[in-house]
Amino acid sequence: MKYPGRVIKLGEQEPEVVRALKTQLNAELGFQAGSDNFLDPENTDFDANTKQAVKLFQMRRVDPQGRPLKVDGEVGPITWEALFGGTTVPSADQAGGDFLATVLQVAGAEEQKKVREEPRNSNSGPQVDEYLRRAGVEPGLAWCCAFVYWCFDEAAKAMHRSNPMFKTAGCLAHWNGAPSKGAKRIQRFQAVADPGLIQPGMVFIMDTGGGTGHTGLVESIQGGFINTIEGNTDASLTREGGGVYRLTRKIADINKGFIDYAGL
């Protein structure tokens, strides 16, 4: 059964969903008919016993990245994938249109060049300085958003068209300003409930507190995870890393949301 596009939790009463969930939990946990812990699929309420069974499953399994599942008794896309398999959750690896596909090609080429700060931990370097200049700020600043803007701008030049992205080197300024350019925003809670809303070529935005943030490009989606291309980061997923990297993040960790420039 396909993931229904919302978090399944206590009180869920859609019969088909609850029936499939109980049947799969019984199979995965070894609950036999007639035993005290057996979940009756004909009782199509997501009740307290179902929640406890989900928590038990979450304690015993890992996500597709090999990390422990969040034990909350709710079935979001990551727990659903662990239960039903990767073909039952949203996935996408093609951008929404030629322009955003070109943006990702530009970003991927920078990752393959292994762009790094020079010297380390300086927010500087020949290519890093160019990202910042293109976004209209001086070298030496945090540059993740400037990297995204540069990728959009290079793609626009290659396709002989205007750049639709809001010009800024600030992540939160981008979040606030993107609608003025006609871009759509997808809030965190929407994306967590339904990863099918996220498409390659979108820009993710994280609020790291104190007026700072982090951003990057979504390259592909698999269930509750996004694969990204980001600047000013590293394998630790920090916002102050030293280069351009391909990373994997949980959608739930993107605490601000996503910006979509498709069709602009």
Side-chain angles (χ1 to χ4, degrees), residues 190-230:
Q190 296 173 297
V192 169
D194 185 5
L197 296 173
I198 309 306
Q199 296 297 313
M202 289 187 182
V203 179
F204 74 83
I205 303 288
M206 301 172 71
D207 185 339
T208 55
T212 65
H214 183 64
T215 190
L217 292 158
V218 177
E219 187 171 30
S220 62
I221 303 94
Q222 175 61 41
F225 293 88
I226 52 173
N227 297 308
T228 67
I229 308 174
E230 312 171 25

Side-chain angles (χ1 to χ4, degrees), residues 22-156:
K22 288 186 173 182
T23 299
Q24 193 68 10
L25 285 167
N26 285 331
E28 291 288 336
L29 296 172
F31 292 172
Q32 300 295 320
S35 66
D36 291 341
N37 51 15
F38 181 73
L39 302 172
D40 181 6
E42 298 309 309
N43 174 6
T44 55
D45 286 337
F46 190 118
D47 54 16
N49 289 336
T50 309
K51 180 176 180 177
Q52 285 304 115
V54 171
K55 292 175 75 172
L56 179 60
F57 174 82
Q58 290 169 329
M59 287 187 283
R60 293 182 176 181
R61 299 293 192 272
V62 295
D63 68 26
Q65 304 298 316
R67 293 174 289 196
L69 294 172
K70 182 179 180 180
V71 181
D72 59 4
E74 299 182 355
V75 183
I78 295 176
T79 295
W80 186 279
E81 182 173 359
L83 272 167
F84 292 98
T87 61
T88 66
V89 292
S91 64
D93 58 9
Q94 299 296 317
D98 292 342
F99 176 68
L100 293 181
T102 303
V103 172
L104 290 176
Q105 289 172 1
V106 170
E110 295 300 283
E111 188 275 334
Q112 291 178 355
K113 292 176 187 175
K114 299 188 182 301
V115 174
R116 299 292 185 266
E117 294 177 354
E118 300 175 26
R120 293 177 62 183
N121 302 319
S122 65
N123 280 339
S124 191
Q127 191 62 10
V128 172
D129 292 350
E130 178 56 28
Y131 299 152
L132 288 161
R133 279 192 290 266
R134 190 74 63 87
V137 296
E138 294 298 316
L141 298 176
W143 51 278
C144 58
C145 190
F147 167 70
V148 172
Y149 183 81
W150 184 89
C151 292
F152 268 76
D153 211 42
E154 286 293 297

Side-chain angles (χ1 to χ4, degrees), residues 65 67 144 204 206 208 213-216 225-243 245-251 253-254:
Q65 304 298 316
R67 293 174 289 196
C144 58
F204 74 83
M206 301 172 71
T208 55
H214 183 64
T215 190
F225 293 88
I226 52 173
N227 297 308
T228 67
I229 308 174
E230 312 171 25
N232 205 176
T233 191
D234 57 28
S236 69
L237 305 180
T238 180
R239 63 171 295 273
E240 281 290 354
Y245 287 82
R246 279 184 164 96
L247 300 173
T248 299
R249 294 182 182 270
K250 285 185 178 181
I251 291 176
D253 292 338
I254 307 304

